[in-house]
Amino acid sequence: MSERPVLGIDIGGSGIKGAPVDLDVGDWATERIRIPTPAKSTPANVTKVVAEIVEHFADSIGDGPVGVTVPAVVMHGVTRSAANIDKSWIGFPIEQLLTDTLGREVVVVNDADAAGVCEVKYGSAKDHPGLVLVTTLGTGIGTALVHNGVLIPNAELGHIEIDGHDAETRASAGVKDRKGWSMNEWIPRIERYYQTLELLLWPDLIVVGGGISRDHEKFLPRLQLNTPIVPATFRNRAGIIGAARLAQDRLIAPDPLDTTRAPAPRK
Ligand code: BGC
């Protein structure tokens, strides 16, 4: 039983959102707040906003850990890519900066990985055995691989090459919006994407998240796939919930490969 809620913060290209999460229930303990992402979205500027959100919820989270998602590959506390955020994130030791600034334990994780953990721990893939592929269809395509409940981090499968193109530039919900495609125009593209993934990975279950999964009835039943495919339960709430869960889990099992700072204190 977690006594206090754990704060989850989701850094996106346009907004930074945070809410304390009740980890027993697997949902926000109170309403989230959202602050626009600074126009110059450098690690330093974003860290200021994260600190503001932590301050806002300080009473309810006590001195507990904070989980933070970023739209980037995160290897042992260091961001290795940057999607929709300033390029200065590439190679930046963000976990260290946030830990030092906030004076508390911070775990930084890829946004889709956080969503994947949320769906497997609390959502539509809860306790699902075998390989679960969670996808978030938004501006880009985020993906998470979870095998028997264990996250295999940083699966950047939104970028697999299909017909000579980066898949997310052809099949994401963002591209659908930008091009003004109807469901009928988009469905063959997203179907080809999932068909390619199932041939490469043979997952036991595919979960579809992101805002567009609200309309799942309009496209999921029409996809010709061999793998069961289900809508996400938490959609855009999943990042915050999964990040909080990962922050709590890290207290129990620190990352042994994180060379950017001293090992996390065991609690
Ligand atoms: C990035 C991923 C991210 C996804 C969703 C992709 O473009 O490469 O790291 O998870 O977008 O934000």
Side-chain angles (χ1 to χ4, degrees), residues 2-267:
S2 64
E3 282 158 20
R4 279 179 181 277
V6 172
L7 184 60
I9 296 181
D10 189 3
I11 298 172
S14 56
I16 301 175
K17 295 137 289 192
V21 175
D22 180 333
L23 293 175
D24 296 328
V25 176
D27 211 344
W28 299 350
T30 53
E31 223 11 71
R32 65 153 211 197
I33 61 167
R34 178 186 187 279
I35 298 176
T37 306
K40 184 125 185 68
S41 54
T42 56
N45 289 346
V46 167
T47 293
K48 284 186 199 137
V49 177
V50 169
E52 223 181 291
I53 295 177
V54 171
E55 186 55 38
H56 180 87
F57 289 115
D59 286 347
S60 62
I61 62 170
D63 61 358
V66 177
V68 178
T69 81
V70 284
V73 169
V74 188
M75 285 182 73
H76 318 298
V78 178
T79 35
R80 297 286 180 196
S81 66
N84 301 311
I85 46 169
D86 195 81
K87 295 301 166 222
S88 58
W89 283 77
I90 298 170
F92 193 88
I94 187 63
E95 237 173 50
Q96 186 173 32
L97 175 64
L98 285 170
T99 304
D100 293 349
T101 307
L102 303 175
R104 59 177 75 224
E105 180 67 15
V106 180
V107 168
V108 182
V109 61
N110 170 265
D111 53 4
D113 280 349
V117 166
C118 173
E119 293 298 335
V120 167
K121 299 295 177 196
Y122 304 109
S124 48
K126 189 171 181 336
D127 298 331
H128 202 283
L131 183 63
V132 178
L133 168 64
V134 179
T135 57
T136 61
L137 305 179
T139 312
I141 297 180
T143 58
L145 288 176
V146 184
H147 186 245
N148 289 337
V150 177
L151 173 71
I152 299 155
N154 296 312
E156 285 284 314
L157 299 167
H159 299 294
I160 56 167
E161 191 179 308
I162 300 180
D163 303 328
H165 298 277
D166 179 339
E168 90 169 10
T169 66
R170 290 291 168 113
S172 74
V175 178
K176 175 182 180 296
D177 286 350
R178 274 201 305 284
K179 305 264 188 191
W181 287 334
S182 64
M183 277 289 175
N184 282 345
E185 288 170 298
W186 179 65
I187 282 172
R189 294 174 164 91
I190 196 68
E191 181 181 67
R192 176 133 170 74
Y193 176 65
Y194 284 124
Q195 284 172 345
T196 307
L197 284 187
E198 67 178 359
L199 278 176
L200 292 172
L201 293 167
W202 297 86
D204 292 282
L205 180 71
I206 300 175
V207 179
V208 182
I212 199 168
S213 63
R214 195 174 288 115
D215 290 330
H216 61 91
E217 281 163 6
K218 296 186 187 146
F219 67 98
L220 287 193
R222 294 173 56 191
L223 302 182
Q224 301 286 319
L225 298 171
N226 295 315
T227 314
I229 186 162
V230 294
T233 304
F234 291 94
R235 293 196 289 267
N236 293 338
R237 304 211 307 287
I240 288 177
I241 298 168
R245 173 68 192 236
L246 284 162
Q248 179 69 30
D249 290 353
R250 174 78 69 83
L251 291 182
I252 301 160
D255 177 357
L257 295 181
D258 187 346
T259 52
T260 63
R261 60 197 168 92
R266 283 177 185 271
K267 288 200 175 166

